[in-house]
Amino acid sequence: MCGIVGLVSTQPVARDLISGLGQLEYRGYDSAGIALAGPGFVVRKVIGCATDLAAALRLDETAGRAGIAHTRWATHGKPEERNAHPHVYQGVAVVHNGIIENHAMLRERLVESGHVFLSDTDSEVVPHLIAEARARGAAHLDAVQQAVEWLHGAYAIAVLFADKPDHIFVAKYGSPVLIGARSGVVAVASDTIALAGLCLRYTALEDGDLAVLTPDSVRILDSFGKTASRTWELVMDREQAAELDRFEHHTRREIAEQPVALRNTDALLRGKPLPDGIAAAQRLIFVACGSSLYAAATARVWIEKLTGLPCDIEIASEYRYREAPIQAGSVAVLVSQSGETADSLACLPLFRARGVPVVGVVNVTQSTIARASDLVWPTTAGRELGVAATKSFTAQLVALLRLGVAFSQARDCDPAVRAQVVAGLTAAPMICAETEEMEPALAELAHWIAGENEALFIGRAAGAAIAGEAALKLKELSYIRAEAYAAGELKHGPIALIRQGSPVLVFAGTDALVGKTVSNAEEVRARGANVVAFTDADGASAFAGVAETVMALPGRGVGHMFAQVVALQLLAYHAALALGRNVDRPRNLAKSVTVE
Ligand code: M6R
């Protein structure tokens, strides 16, 4: 993962670099580093984040008018200072986002020829390769180019030379990187969030590009070494600094922001037509990771009802390598909050190669997936700072259901189902707000689960997918072992987990399957489980006498799904609080997963 940012300017850059770096911490936050040049050559690294880095820099070290910085999510090597970027060798400083797959072979070769390595990272080979080329007499740009020719894998690299302090060199393959500019300042960054406030316009580098940046020029060379001219876009202004307001954590604030996020997303997509090439779809292939995958799986149940189209739900990291046959007439839907997730992004060329149109359901509309999609079908959840997806998940549900409604209209499907879904979407913001008011009861449940240190979530149809999201949220926020199963699967193995007092949490609305789900709850109860039912007002009577606790949540049908999601989010949040976890930045995670 990791985030990189670099600035070359007519003025000192340290302050702006660190501010840009702070914006990239959603990509990783275990360690950070900076190299500054002109005058002098300063390198600082810390365990921690951008503010720790700022504190580590002495004032007399901040005069450099060019600099590169990095925030890390460890792939190779523990989060230790020596593994933090920039990696420096013989006056060549490099920050890298991506994975160099052949680093071991390269390191071995370099060590044999006398190079000494200081870190356990894959990235450290890069400054060594550049320095080696320089020692052979290559000019700065040629040395970068010769070095990247050795690399297999994915990289976005920014290079600062101690002996060329008014230049930054950039190379890109596989990992996204942008160049930004305004008068007297040129920047490189992993995404536009870091450029906002620093630059007015940006362009995205393409695979195989090299770029040479000075305070007043940008030169991009394509993979054939030819000067490339690229389209520049406006950098959107940085959103207002996200305030915690009355909340203790961004995650909790973002849970509370859901009514607004859902209303805005629904308003934006209501009535939005589908282009002909997409409306003619015969099959929908949803590709995503993590919560975005569960959002697609939850929405699928209703999209199939709405449209009669077969819908496949594909884990991006599997799909990219599966060589699955893709039928003519398919439309791909990539679902991603960040629009930068490496595995999701890697599926795009598969669809391109088969002429399959791609719809990007993204929250960050200036993202790589958004740029590469044939149709952007955006969520407008606003920026999400908590690592756990909350408001982006429910906004994705809205966007996906609106996509289903649009297909239903284009295909002239049953208007009654459409009306049912639209009514649920209209009610969803109020349902979220009402569910939030049940927080004290959910907090009490969370304390019990935290004490048990395990949970099994079950459901059928959309409830099974919501159970998956519940287990993911509980795991990532509280580190409690949690599993999710389609309720009918329990007896095929997982029921062996049940002991006296096991927490089993059931998601069931009053649909045709509620009786079946109640029976599954009976089965675990008969084996000692302590059952909690998240259901609607009618479901509450069906579960009476079966569940120890019945949480009668607001709404019916589609609207009720949103209540179940808010309930699971508050449950996971309070379990994390009970166990003293770092709610906004859980261990080992990053907001955006830009490596595979
Ligand atoms: O940005 P994306 O939606 O593509 O991210 C996908 C997952 O990495 C993400 O949903 C992750 O699972 C969250 N931490 C879940 O809360």
Side-chain angles (χ1 to χ4, degrees):
M1 253 94 80
C2 310
I4 65 172
V5 59
L7 278 174
V8 53
S9 169
T10 49
Q11 303 296 321
V13 294
R15 207 191 51 196
D16 284 345
L17 257 187
I18 286 178
S19 140
L21 195 66
Q23 298 299 317
L24 291 174
E25 279 171 2
Y26 73 91
R27 303 171 80 96
Y29 40 78
D30 61 44
S31 52
I34 192 168
L36 295 162
F41 189 67
V42 174
V43 178
R44 278 278 163 279
K45 306 183 191 192
V46 293
I47 294 299
C49 59
T51 30
D52 301 311
L53 187 61
L57 271 176
R58 291 195 319 265
L59 196 60
D60 63 331
E61 293 177 325
T62 57
R65 290 189 292 268
I68 54 176
H70 187 272
T71 181
R72 179 167 188 254
W73 184 85
T75 57
H76 297 67
K78 290 182 183 164
E80 292 173 358
E81 210 173 289
R82 69 194 178 91
N83 288 329
H85 299 217
H87 293 289
V88 184
Y89 187 69
Q90 294 181 347
V92 183
V94 171
V95 290
H96 165 225
N97 173 32
I99 292 182
I100 309 297
E101 288 169 2
N102 58 339
H103 71 100
M105 177 277 280
L106 292 171
R107 179 185 280 243
E108 203 177 303
R109 178 181 76 64
L110 288 158
V111 168
E112 272 169 19
S113 53
H115 289 242
V116 175
F117 281 75
L118 304 175
S119 80
D120 301 326
T121 66
D122 56 331
S123 313
E124 198 186 355
V125 296
V126 182
H128 284 258
L129 290 169
I130 296 173
E132 184 186 54
R134 288 282 292 145
R136 281 196 309 264
H140 296 85
L141 175 61
D142 296 338
V144 174
Q145 192 199 355
Q146 287 168 26
V148 297
E149 277 170 9
W150 282 97
L151 307 181
H152 295 169
Y155 54 82
I157 288 164
V159 187
L160 184 67
F161 290 93
D163 63 353
K164 203 161 181 67
D166 51 353
H167 282 63
I168 291 176
F169 296 83
V170 185
K172 184 242 187 257
Y173 191 89
S175 299
V177 71
L178 310 175
I179 306 299
R182 76 172 150 81
S183 169
V185 180
V186 171
V188 49
S190 296
D191 71 29
T192 50
I193 297 166
L195 294 177
L198 303 180
C199 294
L200 297 175
R201 58 201 174 96
Y202 77 96
T203 189
L205 291 191
E206 294 178 6
D207 281 349
D209 279 353
L210 287 174
V212 185
L213 319 182
T214 71
D216 50 17
S217 71
V218 174
R219 189 169 153 229
I220 300 174
L221 301 171
D222 65 16
S223 52
F224 302 104
K226 297 258 181 311
T227 300
S229 86
R230 294 281 154 74
T231 320
W232 291 77
E233 310 267 347
L234 273 182
V235 176
M236 294 304 181
D237 275 338
R238 184 174 291 175
E239 284 180 50
Q240 275 193 322
E243 300 294 341
L244 279 167
D245 297 329
R246 64 196 160 92
F247 299 103
E248 206 183 326
H249 299 100
H250 290 297
T251 306
R252 181 63 189 86
R253 178 178 50 77
E254 286 157 6
I255 291 172
E257 283 172 353
Q258 289 180 109
V260 175
L262 304 199
R263 198 190 52 211
N264 290 347
T265 302
D266 195 43
L268 184 74
L269 297 175
R270 194 178 305 147
K272 186 174 159 89
L274 296 174
D276 290 347
I278 289 173
Q282 295 303 307
R283 178 176 211 102
L284 299 176
I285 307 171
F286 294 86
V287 180
C289 303
S291 287
S292 297
L293 186 78
Y294 290 120
T298 307
R300 166 182 45 194
V301 176
W302 282 97
I303 297 176
E304 286 183 342
K305 278 194 188 103
L306 276 163
T307 64
L309 290 171
C311 295
D312 302 328
I313 305 293
E314 299 286 357
I315 300 174
S317 55
E318 292 290 315
Y319 192 75
R320 63 184 287 188
Y321 295 116
R322 203 172 80 221
E323 299 179 15
I326 301 178
Q327 286 175 343
S330 299
V331 165
V333 184
L334 296 195
V335 188
S336 174
Q337 186 284 130
S338 62
E340 301 292 350
T341 300
D343 285 318
S344 305
L345 204 50
C347 296
L348 250 154
L350 305 179
F351 297 120
R352 285 266 165 278
R354 290 166 178 82
V356 165
V358 174
V359 180
V361 176
V362 291
N363 195 40
V364 181
T365 47
Q366 289 199 328
S367 59
T368 312
I369 290 181
R371 282 193 292 275
S373 296
D374 298 293
L375 172 68
V376 177
W377 195 265
T379 56
T380 44
R383 192 165 174 204
E384 194 174 62
L385 292 173
V387 162
T390 52
K391 61 177 180 173
S392 65
F393 179 89
T394 43
Q396 283 169 344
L397 270 186
V398 170
L400 290 165
L401 292 170
R402 272 285 164 200
L403 188 65
V405 169
F407 273 111
S408 161
Q409 258 153 354
R411 295 166 57 79
D412 208 11
C413 296
D414 186 353
V417 182
R418 223 157 44 228
Q420 210 183 336
V421 171
V422 168
L425 289 175
T426 310
M430 184 55 82
I431 288 172
C432 289
E434 285 171 12
T435 310
E436 217 188 311
E437 286 175 15
M438 303 176 76
E439 186 167 12
L442 291 161
E444 206 175 303
L445 273 180
H447 275 84
W448 162 59
I449 291 172
E452 295 292 330
N453 199 30
E454 65 166 294
L456 177 63
F457 294 92
I458 59 170
R460 284 173 178 263
I466 291 174
E469 172 64 5
L472 169 61
K473 210 94 306 172
L474 188 65
K475 277 185 276 225
E476 76 176 327
L477 286 181
S478 71
Y479 321 152
I480 292 171
R481 281 180 195 279
E483 298 231 27
Y485 272 93
E489 274 288 293
L490 281 182
K491 53 191 165 299
H492 300 289
I495 202 161
L497 289 172
I498 303 299
R499 55 164 175 85
Q500 194 62 37
S502 292
V504 177
L505 298 96
V506 189
F507 292 96
T510 38
D511 50 32
L513 296 173
V514 69
K516 310 265 178 214
T517 320
V518 169
S519 302
N520 297 133
E522 292 270 19
E523 287 159 13
V524 288
R525 184 165 179 257
R527 289 158 177 85
N530 194 333
V531 176
V532 179
F534 293 94
T535 185
D536 59 21
D538 293 339
S541 39
F543 276 97
V546 178
E548 269 68 21
T549 311
V550 177
M551 298 291 300
L553 304 174
R556 293 262 192 288
V558 168
H560 177 67
M561 295 194 307
F562 290 87
Q564 293 189 345
V565 175
V566 174
L568 75 84
Q569 293 169 346
L570 287 169
L571 188 78
Y573 173 73
H574 281 283
L577 284 191
L579 293 168
R581 308 304 192 210
N582 184 344
V583 176
D584 286 334
R585 290 185 171 185
R587 71 181 179 202
N588 303 338
L589 298 184
K591 181 73 185 158
S592 181
V593 183
T594 58
V595 292
E596 73 167 302

